[in-house]
């Protein structure tokens, strides 16, 4: 019975039932009793359906000896009645009765070699097991029934109860695959038996649990549409459907999800704008940093000498060129308490120290150098600070850095050395120490300077 003809079909069956009684046609009468029972099963009235089925089952069973004739098939309706009675008992939790009925069914099928009906009763065993909460047996029986079917039907009942069974044993993803087959059937036929309604409730729950609001909303909309259909075509049944999600709850959940999705879209666009702003901000910073690198690099290349413009040797040379015979007393008398001639001597020794590149010795120290120059650390430190404009450590390290820069600018083989090799050549104790002083003096990493030098070639 198609749902759109449900009421008319019921009216016709009742008319046939009445007429069959008037004319004494027992076969038609019991056949209509069977269909009335099917209506009551649709309505969820299993107690009433069972009473009707017991009547027609008794009749068809008593007449199994009658051969099938035109318009009469006692065997088929005996099996159908038996099947429906077992189904009703399952819903009524009459499991002990079903044990007897299932044995009767299997015995009859085997005796009469009616193997085409076998999977239907195996399926009934599976449904029975499901309601007994023996989910593993249910899965086994229902799966076996599906394998044995040899017809064109979809067998949604087995698929549905397999989905429910897997759901109850915690295999949610597998359960959802089966229940989505119910949805595919609905998509194809645009019809769905009311008993499968809870498939959508589980699908809504599942996609809510994994945060897939799009799928959750899809199934809410389908369930709402189905409920409107059930209310129209199954007026009596609709009131009896056990619903975890009623219309009000579905509408509330739908509105909540749609609001959430709208908020998510707003948040998404805000995030895109923020990320774009961050991208532009850091892009601009990177651009500015590259420009600064370029300026620093060009400044290093513009150096004309590895010597500091304020160092004493250059000033000394300039003085000697201008007036080679005159001693510049004022220049060498900058440190109170130190003889200018003594200061001149130390500065000349420093000039030779630089020319001979003795600063490349990693063991050189203020103490050792002051002893070599015939003075003490205190006087030597004062001379370095006054005439070099920095302390001894910076003085030595700057000489080393100028040495490396000069070679990097003028000898391509140095550009192919790594930082550790360059540090060792210049007399630094480590690559880290070299890099730190390079950044201090030039505000640029040595690796960046080398990269830019290579690009310039």
């Amino acid at each position: 019975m198609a749902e759109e003809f449900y009421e008319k079909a019921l009216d016709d069956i009742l008319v046939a039932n009445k007429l069959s009684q008037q004319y004494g046609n027992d076969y038609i009468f019991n056949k209509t009793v069977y269909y009335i029972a099917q209506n009551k099963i649709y309505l969820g009235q299993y107690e009433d359906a069972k009473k009707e089925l017991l009547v027609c089952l008794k009749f068809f069973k008593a007449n199994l000896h009658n051969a099938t004739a035109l318009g009469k098939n006692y065997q088929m309706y005996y099996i159908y009645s038996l099947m429906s009675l077992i189904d009703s008992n399952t819903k009524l939790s009459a499991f002990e009765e079903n044990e007897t009925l299932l044995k009767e069914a299997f015995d009859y099928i085997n005796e009469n070699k009616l193997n085409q009906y076998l999977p239907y009763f195996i399926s009934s065993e599976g449904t029975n097991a499901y309601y007994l909460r023996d989910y593993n047996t249910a899965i086994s029986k229902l799966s076996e029934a599906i394998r044995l079917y040899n017809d064109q039907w979809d067998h949604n009942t087995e698929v549905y109860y397999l989905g429910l069974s897997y759901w109850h044993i915690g295999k949610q993803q597998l359960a959802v695959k089966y229940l989505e087959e119910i949805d595919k059937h609905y998509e194809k036929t645009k019809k769905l038996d009311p008993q499968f309604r809870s498939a959508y409730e589980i699908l809504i729950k599942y996609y809510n649990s994994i945060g897939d609001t799009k799928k959750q909303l899809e199934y809410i909309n389908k369930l709402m549409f189905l409920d409107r259909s059930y209310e129209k075509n199954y007026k009596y049944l609709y009131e009896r459907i056990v619903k975890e999600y009623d219309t009000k709850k579905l509408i509330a959940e739908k509105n909540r999800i749609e609001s959430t999705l709208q908020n998510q879209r707003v948040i998404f666009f805000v995030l895109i704008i923020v990320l774009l702003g961050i991208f532009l901000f850091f892009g601009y910073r990177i651009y500015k940093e590259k420009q600064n690198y370029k300026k620093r690099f060009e400044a290093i290349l513009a150096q004309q000498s590895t010597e500091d413009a304020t160092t004493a040797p250059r000033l000394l040379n300039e003085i000697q060129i201008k007036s080679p015979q005159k001693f510049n007393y004022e220049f060498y008398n900058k440190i109170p308490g130190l003889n200018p001639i003594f200061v001149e001597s130390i500065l000349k020794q420093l000039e030779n120290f630089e020319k001979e590149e003795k600063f490349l010795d990693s063991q050189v120290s203020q103490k050792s150098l002051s002893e070599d120059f015939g003075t003490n650390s205190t006087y030597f430190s004062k001379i370095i600070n006054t005439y070099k404009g920095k302390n001894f450590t910076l003085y030595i390290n700057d000489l080393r850095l100028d040495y490396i820069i000069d070679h990097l600018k003028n000898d391509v083989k140095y550009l192919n050395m790594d930082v550790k090799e360059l540090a060792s050549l210049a007399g630094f104790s480590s690559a880290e120490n070299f890099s730190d002083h390079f950044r201090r003096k030039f505000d640029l990493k040595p690796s960046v300077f080398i990269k830019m030098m290579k690009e310039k070639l």
Side-chain angles (χ1 to χ4, degrees), residues 34-48:
Y34 169 79
Y35 281 113
I36 289 169
Q38 299 310 303
N39 274 267
K40 291 183 177 182
I41 289 172
Y42 262 69
L43 293 170
Q45 298 170 353
Y46 296 109
E47 287 281 6
D48 291 342

Side-chain angles (χ1 to χ4, degrees), residues 180-365:
E180 284 182 336
E181 289 299 314
I182 300 296
D183 177 55
K184 288 178 184 176
H185 171 79
Y186 169 68
E187 285 293 322
K188 183 170 66 175
T189 64
K190 297 303 176 186
K191 296 176 185 178
L192 192 71
D193 192 308
Q195 69 170 315
F196 302 136
R197 181 186 183 279
S198 66
Y200 283 97
E201 294 184 337
I202 292 175
L203 290 171
I204 291 168
K205 274 186 187 178
Y206 173 75
Y207 284 108
N208 179 47
S209 71
I210 65 171
D212 190 338
T213 51
K214 186 177 178 182
K215 293 291 285 185
Q216 187 187 358
L217 183 60
E218 175 190 337
Y219 289 122
I220 285 175
N221 285 329
K222 285 183 178 179
L223 186 52
M224 289 177 68
F225 183 84
L226 278 169
D227 279 350
R228 286 194 293 272
S229 172
Y230 293 151
E231 187 175 14
K232 177 182 176 183
N233 298 302
Y234 293 87
K235 291 179 181 177
Y236 304 104
L237 172 62
Y238 185 75
E239 298 300 322
R240 300 176 61 92
I241 294 176
V242 178
K243 294 177 286 185
E244 186 167 339
Y245 288 95
D246 60 22
T247 302
K248 288 182 180 179
K249 282 179 69 176
L250 285 171
I251 291 172
E253 186 69 2
K254 173 183 163 123
N255 291 338
R256 184 192 68 79
I257 293 171
E258 288 177 340
S259 176
T260 301
L261 290 173
Q262 179 62 29
N263 290 337
Q264 286 176 349
R265 283 192 286 271
V266 171
I267 292 169
F268 174 76
F269 284 121
V270 170
L271 281 174
I272 289 293
I273 292 169
V274 170
L275 289 172
L276 184 60
I278 292 171
F279 174 78
L280 291 173
F281 172 74
F282 281 104
Y284 178 73
R285 284 193 60 178
I286 291 168
Y287 169 76
K288 290 295 291 182
E289 191 171 79
K290 285 184 176 179
Q291 292 298 104
N292 289 333
Y293 283 167
K294 187 177 179 182
K295 288 179 182 178
R296 292 170 206 155
F297 174 73
E298 289 172 351
I300 295 169
L301 294 184
Q303 286 182 195
Q304 298 299 315
S305 170
T306 58
E307 297 176 345
D308 187 6
T310 60
T311 56
R314 173 175 290 181
L315 291 172
L316 181 61
N317 289 339
E318 289 175 356
I319 292 165
Q320 288 173 343
I321 291 167
K322 290 177 181 178
S323 52
Q325 303 301 323
K326 185 179 179 181
F327 177 75
N328 191 339
Y329 179 85
E330 186 179 345
F331 177 78
Y332 295 113
N333 194 35
K334 291 182 179 180
I335 304 172
L338 284 185
N339 190 317
I341 296 174
F342 169 74
V343 172
E344 180 193 29
S345 172
I346 296 299
L347 290 175
K348 284 183 176 179
Q349 290 183 78
L350 280 174
E351 184 180 0
N352 290 330
F353 170 78
E354 292 175 14
K355 285 180 179 178
E356 294 170 7
E357 298 178 343
K358 292 183 178 180
F359 52 80
L360 298 177
D361 182 358
S362 62
Q363 300 302 314
V364 70
S365 67

Side-chain angles (χ1 to χ4, degrees), residues 143-179:
S143 299
E144 183 183 358
I146 288 175
R147 286 195 301 272
L148 291 174
Y149 282 126
N150 187 24
D151 54 37
Q152 76 278 19
W153 306 113
D154 292 324
H155 297 292
N156 289 321
T157 299
E158 289 76 10
V159 172
Y160 171 70
Y161 282 108
L162 276 169
L164 296 187
S165 298
Y166 279 119
W167 181 265
H168 285 295
I169 65 172
K171 294 185 177 181
Q172 295 187 346
Q173 290 183 329
L174 191 53
V176 165
K177 286 183 179 179
Y178 279 97
L179 297 178

